[in-house]
Amino acid sequence: MSQANSAPCYQIWLIPDLTFFVEWTQLSQNLPAYSGAVYTRWGRTSCPAKSSLVYKGEMAGPDLFSWGGGSNNQCLPEDPRYGHSATGMYSSLRAVNYWLHYNKNIFGKDLHIHSVPCAVCDTKQRVTQLMIPGQTRCPTSDCSIEYIGLLMSEYEHSPGNTEDFSGASRRSAGQYICVDDHAESVRGPTGGGGGANLHFVRAGCDVESLGALSNCPPYRSDKSALSCVVCSK
């Protein structure tokens, strides 16, 4: 059988788009750079060395002498922008102050009734962050310490006691937050008016009181202030 006029047989290979694979490889190798965990560093205007600053500002919360408002603290940026105007009933945000009446040097400097700064930080190659009360270290070796601080919240006052030395008269509770051990201030002293105040937190170990913690010790019934740590992973 003559093969002279037979069409040649070609094996066709599908050549992949090499550009796509190069880009995919580069993206895969740099994937951690696209992840990150965002947290607020209370009491400072800068972020730790391994984190980048998203923005800095001033800690703000509800009016201390009013009812209602939010219970979560806000880090207000230094450069606000407005898009609307409104009239009628409203809720306000006011400066939050350190209230360190008998503990003025607990941060190594007198910050009593100074306004609290804040910094929103982005830590790259980390996907989660956690604030742990009562600790100064992270639970596992693959966690990274962002900062260590002092656990703080609004003053705790008894039901029916609408006025006390701190001026606290609101029903709503505030957040427990971790204020950096090397705290700074925005300005001060302010006189401690209108806004919420931050106080250190103790463990409830009074066995004669309702709701006492069951693990005392190791939690202490003395005047020890609870520490805190912010971890990322």
Side-chain angles (χ1 to χ4, degrees):
M1 183 175 179
S2 175
Q3 301 293 326
N5 296 323
S6 298
C9 181
Y10 294 101
Q11 186 173 9
I12 300 176
W13 294 86
L14 296 176
I15 301 176
D17 185 350
L18 296 180
T19 303
F20 169 79
F21 281 101
V22 171
E23 291 178 351
W24 176 257
T25 301
Q26 291 176 344
L27 178 62
S28 300
Q29 291 174 346
N30 294 303
L31 189 59
Y34 291 89
S35 62
V38 177
Y39 64 91
T40 302
R41 188 184 194 187
W42 301 108
R44 295 296 297 268
T45 57
S46 61
C47 296
K50 53 197 167 186
S51 299
S52 59
L53 181 69
V54 179
Y55 73 88
K56 61 180 179 177
E58 182 175 4
M59 183 177 175
D63 186 348
L64 182 66
F65 301 104
S66 298
W67 301 73
S71 63
N72 55 326
N73 299 301
Q74 301 293 312
C75 185
L76 288 183
E78 293 179 326
D79 54 345
R81 298 183 180 183
Y82 290 90
H84 302 277
S85 60
T87 59
M89 293 182 290
Y90 63 92
S91 176
S92 64
L93 283 170
R94 296 184 180 274
V96 176
N97 303 309
Y98 302 105
W99 193 273
L100 307 171
H101 194 63
Y102 301 110
N103 305 274
K104 293 184 178 180
N105 294 313
I106 198 167
F107 289 114
K109 64 189 83 170
D110 185 0
L111 294 179
H112 181 51
I113 60 178
H114 286 226
S115 296
V116 183
C118 52
V120 176
C121 306
D122 181 16
T123 175
K124 295 299 184 185
Q125 301 185 5
R126 299 283 173 174
V127 294
T128 60
Q129 65 86 19
L130 174 68
M131 188 275 281
I132 305 176
Q135 278 292 341
T136 57
R137 60 185 180 182
C138 297
T140 58
S141 59
D142 59 343
C143 287
S144 176
I145 294 178
E146 296 299 325
Y147 71 91
I148 298 170
L150 186 68
L151 192 67
M152 302 191 80
S153 71
E154 288 191 41
Y155 178 67
E156 180 182 290
H157 55 289
S158 302
N161 180 13
T162 58
E163 290 295 337
D164 51 54
F165 75 88
S166 71
S169 59
R170 295 175 51 250
R171 283 184 178 176
S172 60
Q175 290 177 309
Y176 290 101
I177 64 170
C178 190
V179 177
D180 195 282
D181 257 346
H182 303 286
E184 302 168 337
S185 67
V186 177
R187 65 184 186 281
T190 64
N197 297 315
L198 288 180
H199 301 254
F200 68 88
V201 178
R202 294 178 183 168
C205 285
D206 185 353
V207 294
E208 298 179 356
S209 300
L210 294 174
L213 293 174
S214 60
N215 48 349
C216 299
Y219 284 94
R220 301 173 183 171
S221 57
D222 58 14
K223 296 181 180 180
S224 299
L226 286 173
S227 297
C228 53
V229 61
V230 174
C231 303
S232 64
K233 181 177 179 181

